Amino acid sequence: MSTPFFISMAATAKNEVSSNSRENILAAATRVAQARGYGGLNFRDLAEQVGIKSASMYYHFPSKADLGAAVARRYWEDSAVALDAMLADTSDPLRCLHDYPDIFRRSLESNNRLCLGSFMAAEYDDLPETVKKEVQTFADVHVAWLCQVLSAAATVSAEDSEQRARAIYAAVAGAQLMARSRSNIALFDALIETYRVVGLLPA
């Protein structure tokens, strides 16, 4: 017997509401984690922000660790998409390297937030294992992309590309951290310009 049309429509609507709630939770949790880290994630506060009951949070994320892992995973997935889009928009790998710091700058532009990957990395000892894995993946995605672009630009040898990629990632993330601690985006820009002067990044 086929499912009555109105029952099927109701089920579809319920699934859409559930999916929207999950996305809204992830978006709200990402903003919180960028401002206060994993330790700042609170189911009751997030439920209030999203406009759902606290108990409903557990339907989507059975534990804080599940939520933290999902947030960190979505963050590096979105970051990977942004990096690939940057590479697709230009055939010039040097331009990609020049523009790379803008990804971190955008967090500072958004209410002086910190890259979620950096914030959670600072909390590493207190993170559940599932969250640690996703945080490490964020850094791995960036280093792999930088390796690819450095190789394409032929700025360093293939043997040195990974070390240079790690240095660039650490330097840009560090510049963001210092600028955030002083609520001074101009400091971030000054540090990035220094990296270009000394040759870590292309001018």
Side-chain angles (χ1 to χ4, degrees):
M1 179 182 295
S2 62
T3 303
F5 178 73
F6 70 89
I7 294 178
S8 176
M9 289 294 290
T12 300
K14 183 178 180 180
N15 288 337
E16 288 178 352
V17 170
S18 177
S19 177
N20 288 339
S21 293
R22 187 177 193 279
E23 291 303 311
N24 290 339
I25 293 167
L26 282 174
T30 297
R31 290 191 296 271
V32 169
Q34 283 185 279
R36 301 199 296 272
Y38 176 78
L41 295 177
N42 179 284
F43 273 31
R44 181 176 297 176
D45 292 343
L46 287 168
E48 184 176 340
Q49 287 185 41
V50 175
I52 61 176
K53 295 179 179 178
S54 296
S56 298
M57 292 284 296
Y58 294 94
Y59 171 79
H60 300 284
F61 303 100
S63 70
K64 181 177 175 177
D66 291 316
L67 174 60
V71 168
R73 185 183 313 114
R74 174 64 60 83
Y75 197 75
W76 72 251
E77 288 174 345
D78 288 348
S79 186
V81 170
L83 290 170
D84 288 343
M86 186 189 300
L87 201 54
D89 285 344
T90 176
S91 59
D92 183 0
L94 286 175
R95 184 67 195 178
C96 288
L97 289 170
H98 182 277
D99 293 344
Y100 175 72
D102 291 344
I103 293 176
F104 290 79
R105 194 182 196 278
R106 285 194 284 271
S107 294
L108 294 172
E109 291 171 344
S110 180
N111 297 317
N112 198 39
R113 289 192 174 94
L114 188 64
C115 165
L116 186 148
S118 297
F119 211 141
M120 286 191 172
E123 304 173 287
Y124 192 79
D125 287 346
D126 298 321
L127 297 177
E129 288 300 323
T130 53
V131 183
K132 287 180 178 179
K133 179 178 179 296
E134 304 299 341
V135 171
Q136 289 174 337
T137 300
F138 177 84
D140 292 343
V141 164
H142 278 252
V143 170
W145 183 86
L146 286 165
C147 278
Q148 177 186 354
V149 178
L150 286 165
S151 296
T155 57
V156 295
S157 66
E159 294 78 14
D160 294 335
S161 62
E162 184 172 356
Q163 285 298 96
R164 176 65 67 87
R166 291 183 184 279
I168 292 172
Y169 172 75
V172 175
Q176 185 197 50
L177 181 62
M178 181 170 283
R180 182 182 189 267
S181 70
R182 290 162 173 77
S183 297
N184 185 358
I185 199 168
L187 177 57
F188 177 83
D189 294 337
L191 289 168
I192 297 303
E193 184 58 31
T194 299
Y195 298 159
R196 290 176 178 140
V197 170
V198 301
L200 181 62
L201 288 168

